[in-house]
């Protein structure tokens, strides 16, 4: 059994994906016709099902009710049956739907669950049926549903997220750090962390987290080989980066509890003003107005240090839909620029996965405030943001890497040993 950490708007959940479900497909599914491509010019009629993930609630139901009504009005004779699944157990639910040949015609999937569905032959290759897909959607979003060793693209990018750096200016001032010349590299971050440590006598910090797989990718390390069959991120450059984290930890530039079970998390410590740097979406300062209004005047944003991560949700079409033309048309309608823009107006902090939104003043023009500047910065970052490109990487892999890095940061093994162990463990799990 593999564990996948996946996030939907309504929840953040660790879900189990059974190897006997999505990975192998079922006999009933295999007996159904698989669509290779769809005639997008076909007349639309009939009924399809549309499945979302933890979105039927007071906040989002009015949006989807109108969305479906608008589509049915534009296409008389069509009916969209909306299904919503709870946040917990979504991968298991999708697995069950595929095995029982009941996957909805149009379905909301994150990249990792979509990958497992693709391996089971359950999703339509949208690139074959939509010749404008690369001109309509952002490349970064499409890349999340284009897998190594698999031909095609298997979801329309729907709502996307990326990170911006945030700084507490009170802490920066104490350390004499120029707010107009904030760190843009990891080495610069460590140097600034030393200044904060020295200026506050070790009572406040700038950094408060261990490195993760994104930090490793930022060193240029390939997460997997070219055909996606082996993890390969145990490079000397990645080991050097972890070594610098270890040195910073030993020097006291990070809270001691970073490596303990008492660690509250970087965001919590930032909100308590115990650390001066965190990362979040472009909506973070605006959200602080509710969560911690006294902190808002002290916070400014800057570009992400290293690679900006990409968080994606997509809309896929079942390869075994009995009404593929209607399913494809509705998937395109849900992910149109107008409807995505309206959706992120409700789903604050996320951005549309369309190219048209990249020049929309609503996402590219700041009101001049730090909150507005950060929101624009997030939008500008999105086309350059990258995912790990390794949907096989799961929570079990992540937890083991975390343990190995902690051992390296306390000097109980070398950074290279930590990476070698993590790669060997991940490849071992991959082969099961």
């Amino acid at each position: 059994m593999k564990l996948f950490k996946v996030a939907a708007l309504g929840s953040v959940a660790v879900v189990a994906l059974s190897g006997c479900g999505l990975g192998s497909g079922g006999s009933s599914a295999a007996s159904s016709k698989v669509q290779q491509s769809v005639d997008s010019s076909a007349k639309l009629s009939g009924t399809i099902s549309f499945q979302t993930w933890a979105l039927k609630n007071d906040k989002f139901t009015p949006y989807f009710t109108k969305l479906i009504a608008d589509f049915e009005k534009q296409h008389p004779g069509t009916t969209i049956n909306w299904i919503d699944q709870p946040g917990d157990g979504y991968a298991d639910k999708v697995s069950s739907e595929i095995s029982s040949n009941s996957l909805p015609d149009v379905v909301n999937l994150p990249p990792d669950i979509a990958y497992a569905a693709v391996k089971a032959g359950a999703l339509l290759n949208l690139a074959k049926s939509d010749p404008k897909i690369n001109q309509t959607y952002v490349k970064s979003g499409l890349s999340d549903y284009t897998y190594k060793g698999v031909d095609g693209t298997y979801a329309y990018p729907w709502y996307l997220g990326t990170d911006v750096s945030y700084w507490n200016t009170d802490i920066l001032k104490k350390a004499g750090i120029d707010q107009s010349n904030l760190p843009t590299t990891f080495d610069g971050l460590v140097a600034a962390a030393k200044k904060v440590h020295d200026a506050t006598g070790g009572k406040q910090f700038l950094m408060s987290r261990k490195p993760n797989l994104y930090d490793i990718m930022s060193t240029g390390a390939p997460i997997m080989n070219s055909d996606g069959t082996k993890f390969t991120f145990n490079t000397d450059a990645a080991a050097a980066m972890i070594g610098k984290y270890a040195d910073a930890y030993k020097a006291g530039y990070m809270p001691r509890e970073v490596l303990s079970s008492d660690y509250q998390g970087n965001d919590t410590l930032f909100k308590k003003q115990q650390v001066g740097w965190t990362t979040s979406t472009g909506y973070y300062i605006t959200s602080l107005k509710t969560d911690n209004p006294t902190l808002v005047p002290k916070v400014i944003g800057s570009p992400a240090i290293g690679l900006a991560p990409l968080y994606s949700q997509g809309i896929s079409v079942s390869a075994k839909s009995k009404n593929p033309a209607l399913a494809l048309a509705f998937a395109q309608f849900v992910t149109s620029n107008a409807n995505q823009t309206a959706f992120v107006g409700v789903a604050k902090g996320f951005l549309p996965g369309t190219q048209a939104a990249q020049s929309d003043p609503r996402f590219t023009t700041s009101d001049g405030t730090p909150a507005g500047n950060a929101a624009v910065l997030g939008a500008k970052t999105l086309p350059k943001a990258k995912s790990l490109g390794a949907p096989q990487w799961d929570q079990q892999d992540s937890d083991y890497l975390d343990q190995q890095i902690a051992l390296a940061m306390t000097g109980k093994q070398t950074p290279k040993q930590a990476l070698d162990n993590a790669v060997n463990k991940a490849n071992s799990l991959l082969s099961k």
Side-chain angles (χ1 to χ4, degrees), residues 249-432:
Y249 178 74
K250 291 172 189 171
Y253 302 163
M254 286 185 272
R256 308 309 295 173
E257 60 266 29
V258 163
L259 301 183
S260 76
S261 58
D262 296 331
Y263 178 50
Q264 301 174 62
N266 191 56
D267 181 60
T268 297
L269 296 181
F270 184 83
K271 288 176 178 174
K272 289 183 174 181
Q273 303 189 57
Q274 295 177 11
V275 304
W277 170 69
T278 192
T279 58
S280 188
T281 73
Y283 189 70
Y284 186 68
I285 296 178
T286 300
S287 69
L288 281 176
K289 292 176 183 176
T290 301
D291 298 342
N292 194 341
T294 60
L295 183 57
V296 172
K298 304 176 184 178
V299 180
I300 58 173
S302 73
I305 295 173
L307 288 176
L310 177 67
Y311 312 114
S312 300
Q313 289 286 335
I315 294 292
S316 300
V317 174
S318 169
K320 295 159 188 169
S321 171
K322 294 179 180 178
N323 196 340
L326 180 57
L328 181 66
F330 185 67
Q332 292 170 338
F333 184 78
V334 173
T335 59
S336 69
N337 184 62
N339 286 325
Q340 288 213 44
T341 299
F343 182 65
V344 300
V346 185
K348 300 292 186 183
F350 291 90
L351 295 161
T354 59
Q355 292 194 20
Q358 301 305 306
S359 56
D360 188 325
R362 284 171 287 188
F363 304 107
T364 60
T365 303
S366 171
D367 60 6
T369 65
N373 293 342
V376 170
L377 187 56
K380 288 183 176 179
T381 301
L382 187 67
K384 299 176 288 186
K386 289 188 176 181
S387 66
L388 296 173
Q392 301 93 330
W393 183 259
D394 61 25
Q395 192 63 43
Q396 194 172 356
D397 297 320
S398 185
D399 289 344
Y400 189 76
L401 173 64
D402 199 53
Q403 293 167 7
Q404 294 303 306
I405 288 176
L407 291 173
M409 290 178 65
T410 52
K412 295 178 179 175
Q413 65 181 355
T414 68
K416 188 62 167 59
Q417 286 171 331
L419 290 171
D420 288 344
N421 291 342
V423 163
N424 291 337
K425 178 74 171 182
N427 284 330
S428 173
L429 292 171
L430 195 62
S431 65
K432 292 182 179 178

Side-chain angles (χ1 to χ4, degrees), residues 90-225:
Y90 191 56
D92 281 340
K93 180 63 181 178
V94 172
S95 172
S96 173
E97 290 170 337
I98 292 173
S99 297
S100 61
N101 198 30
S102 60
L103 185 70
D105 301 275
V106 179
V107 57
N108 166 202
L109 295 174
D112 51 0
I113 298 179
Y115 174 73
V118 168
K119 298 292 282 185
L123 299 183
L124 180 72
N125 176 2
L126 299 173
K128 269 195 171 182
S129 301
D130 186 347
K132 296 182 179 178
I133 188 170
N134 291 320
Q135 288 75 50
T136 305
Y137 301 93
V138 292
K139 183 178 179 181
S140 56
L142 290 171
S143 69
D144 250 0
Y145 294 91
T146 304
Y147 304 105
K148 291 180 178 178
V150 180
D151 179 51
T153 303
Y154 291 90
Y156 290 125
W158 188 22
Y159 59 89
L160 310 178
T162 188
D163 280 351
V164 171
S165 284
Y166 290 98
W167 309 87
N168 182 316
T169 55
D170 274 1
I171 294 177
L172 296 179
K173 289 174 186 173
K174 289 179 184 176
I177 297 171
D178 184 355
Q179 296 178 30
S180 64
N181 188 27
L182 293 167
T184 58
T185 64
F186 174 64
D187 287 344
L189 181 66
V190 173
K194 181 180 185 306
K195 290 182 179 179
V196 171
H197 171 270
D198 293 349
T200 64
K203 295 179 180 178
Q204 286 183 300
F205 306 91
L206 196 63
M207 306 165 58
S208 75
R209 67 170 178 82
K210 296 190 295 292
N212 56 36
L213 201 55
Y214 268 106
D215 296 304
I216 291 171
M217 190 164 71
S218 291
T219 68
I223 303 302
M224 298 195 83
N225 60 6

